[in-house]
Amino acid sequence: MRWENLSKDPKILSHYELFKDSGVLDYIEETRDMNKALEELLQEAKEIFRQESVDELIELIIHYLAEKFIPSNMVFILNEGIMVNKIKTIICRNMKITNETIEIYSLEPFERFFRTNQQTIRFDLLENEFAETNYLDPFLSYKPEIVVPVLGISGLYGMILFSAKVLGEDYKPQEISYIDRLMNFTSIGIQNTIHYEHSVKDPKTGLYNHNFFIHRVNEQIARAKRIKRHFSILVIDIDNFKYFNDSYGHLAGDEVILQVSKILKKSIREGDILSRFGGEEFTILLPYADCQEGWEASERIRKAIEQMETPYQEDVLKITISLGVATYNFLEDENENSLLKKADEALYESKKNGRNRTTSFNHECS
């Protein structure tokens, strides 16, 4: 029977003073508050596990913490690499993400310490452990008081540092407990998102990989059939890529791929799916773009790359791309392979006709 019903029972009411003096009522109230807090924490955990990127997850964590208290500074240090170190730092001041970064290249020095200290700790314990080193120097300007390790099956994924609260009060035991519990879920969430991103993204460019692209094209085909809308895909190839490798070396080729990736990222709309097909080829899914819109988007991207200048050693590399466009017609029985083949054929025409151009498989659109 729920307490709301019990509290109205005449027998309970007749012994109200006894319950009050014995502390039973206080205990019931504390238990109810604790259960409510746990329910809220479980709801927060569900949202944490729904996030698809580390950045989204951190923004959510900041939102949850801001509802409880506001640290003057928070520092997230995360290793996004799995086989290699790829350290990412996110700095928050008064719960707002800044553009600041910290130069740290490895979490290895802290790995052994957190293997035996797996809970939330005070920063001074870390200072005592590393007093003879300069490992903590990059963090000192943020005046951390609390350190939360982000631990998982592969070891230490990162650390989260909390400085004093904005109003200067000490952290209450229940606040430390909340941080500890929330960060347990956050650790799992960060592991999941890191492993998810590695499964769907190209390690060199950070773009989606080809398998993810095909998965999204299949989803778009099903959606297009249902709502009777067109969409387009682009296949992109860097012109004369072998020239950069042969003339300047493979590091120059890598730099060309990275610079093209950056321009492509800036040139697409929110909701478009950009992937690295492999080597010097890229693909873009343009949801709801018809034939003409697909060609116009392709030309906009081509011109952006054409205007790009890439300094390398003492030279400036001039880069161009060729593109092929194919548009899905919901009236035809077409799959992702036949659509990609059409875009490839259009790309071949672009390269055959002199490169640095766009060709649409549907010629009436070009």
Side-chain angles (χ1 to χ4, degrees):
M1 185 179 290
R2 295 178 63 84
W3 169 246
E4 287 81 357
N5 297 326
L6 281 171
S7 62
K8 297 173 184 176
D9 189 319
K11 292 180 181 178
I12 299 292
L13 291 174
S14 66
H15 295 87
Y16 178 82
E17 291 300 326
L18 176 62
F19 287 135
K20 182 179 178 182
D21 293 343
S22 65
V24 169
L25 296 183
D26 289 339
Y27 175 76
I28 290 173
E29 197 60 35
E30 288 173 8
T31 302
R32 291 177 69 193
D33 290 343
M34 189 184 304
N35 288 340
K36 183 182 177 182
L38 288 173
E39 286 175 8
E40 289 176 357
L41 185 64
L42 287 174
Q43 289 301 316
E44 291 169 353
K46 286 181 183 178
E47 287 302 313
I48 286 170
F49 297 148
R50 288 194 182 106
Q51 305 311 302
E52 293 186 358
S53 74
V54 170
D55 289 342
E56 289 175 356
L57 194 153
I58 287 174
E59 286 184 6
L60 184 66
I61 295 305
I62 291 169
H63 168 72
Y64 288 149
L65 291 171
E67 293 183 337
K68 307 290 183 182
F69 49 82
I70 300 180
S72 51
N73 300 310
M74 279 180 70
V75 180
F76 294 82
I77 307 109
L78 303 171
N79 186 1
E80 293 187 300
I82 292 180
M83 302 301 293
V84 295
N85 287 320
K86 187 181 175 184
I87 306 299
K88 174 177 189 162
T89 60
I90 297 175
I91 316 297
C92 302
R93 292 190 183 273
N94 298 333
M95 305 308 267
K96 295 193 181 300
I97 296 175
T98 71
N99 293 323
E100 300 171 60
T101 58
I102 296 175
E103 288 193 9
I104 177 170
Y105 303 102
S106 173
L107 293 172
E108 206 170 309
F110 308 104
E111 184 90 37
R112 181 179 296 178
F113 176 81
F114 283 115
R115 209 174 290 156
T116 54
N117 297 272
Q118 300 185 359
Q119 71 287 344
T120 299
I121 62 167
R122 301 201 68 83
F123 186 73
D124 53 17
L125 292 178
L126 207 58
E127 286 184 300
N128 290 338
E129 178 71 17
F130 295 101
E132 304 300 319
T133 74
N134 59 358
Y135 295 148
L136 299 178
D137 288 358
F139 313 134
L140 297 180
S141 63
Y142 298 98
K143 300 179 180 178
E145 289 193 359
I146 295 172
V147 185
V148 183
V150 179
L151 295 160
I153 54 175
S154 297
L156 185 67
Y157 283 76
M159 302 184 294
I160 304 173
L161 313 180
F162 293 76
S163 67
K165 289 193 283 187
V166 168
L167 298 179
E169 327 108 292
D170 290 335
Y171 286 97
K172 300 173 185 174
Q174 56 266 40
E175 290 173 337
I176 299 288
S177 176
Y178 173 74
I179 291 172
D180 206 31
R181 289 175 173 177
L182 184 69
M183 291 304 119
N184 283 336
F185 292 121
T186 301
S187 294
I188 298 169
I190 286 173
Q191 292 172 62
N192 290 345
T193 54
I194 287 173
H195 285 280
Y196 171 73
E197 288 190 357
H198 275 266
S199 72
V200 301
K201 290 193 174 179
D202 170 58
K204 184 186 292 293
T205 61
L207 304 181
Y208 288 115
N209 59 31
H210 185 59
N211 286 340
F212 181 81
F213 176 81
I214 292 298
H215 172 69
R216 292 302 294 269
V217 169
N218 279 319
E219 286 185 341
Q220 193 65 35
I221 288 173
R223 191 177 297 115
K225 287 179 178 177
R226 188 172 66 252
I227 64 176
K228 297 180 170 49
R229 290 280 300 274
H230 299 292
F231 70 89
S232 297
I233 65 169
L234 314 182
V235 177
I236 302 166
D237 188 80
I238 300 174
D239 294 331
N240 301 309
F241 182 72
K242 188 173 183 295
Y243 165 78
F244 298 114
N245 280 335
D246 291 349
S247 302
Y248 298 95
H250 288 281
L251 290 179
D254 287 348
E255 185 63 22
V256 168
I257 287 172
L258 290 173
Q259 293 305 317
V260 168
S261 299
K262 288 179 182 178
I263 298 298
L264 292 177
K265 284 180 186 177
K266 292 178 181 177
S267 302
I268 62 174
R269 309 165 303 176
E270 185 177 354
D272 294 343
I273 303 298
L274 168 62
S275 80
R276 186 180 180 203
F277 187 86
E280 68 273 23
E281 284 197 11
F282 304 85
T283 49
I284 303 176
L285 167 64
L286 304 173
Y288 314 118
D290 62 21
C291 177
Q292 187 62 34
E293 290 167 332
W295 189 84
E296 290 172 358
S298 186
E299 274 295 279
R300 187 181 69 250
I301 290 168
R302 183 189 65 79
K303 290 173 183 176
I305 297 294
E306 187 179 30
Q307 293 167 7
M308 179 178 74
E309 292 186 345
T310 302
Y312 188 78
Q313 295 178 353
E314 297 179 359
D315 289 335
V316 175
L317 308 181
K318 294 295 291 181
I319 304 165
T320 61
I321 57 174
S322 297
L323 304 96
V325 187
T327 300
Y328 177 79
N329 186 343
F330 59 85
L331 297 174
E332 298 177 4
D333 185 20
E334 194 163 32
N335 60 32
E336 79 284 0
N337 290 325
S338 60
L339 187 63
L340 200 57
K341 184 179 178 184
K342 287 180 178 179
D344 266 330
E345 289 176 10
L347 171 64
Y348 176 77
E349 289 295 316
S350 289
K351 298 187 86 66
K352 186 176 74 171
N353 291 324
R355 298 184 172 88
N356 188 24
R357 64 181 61 224
T358 294
T359 303
S360 174
F361 185 85
N362 309 78
H363 295 289
E364 68 274 11
C365 296
S366 50

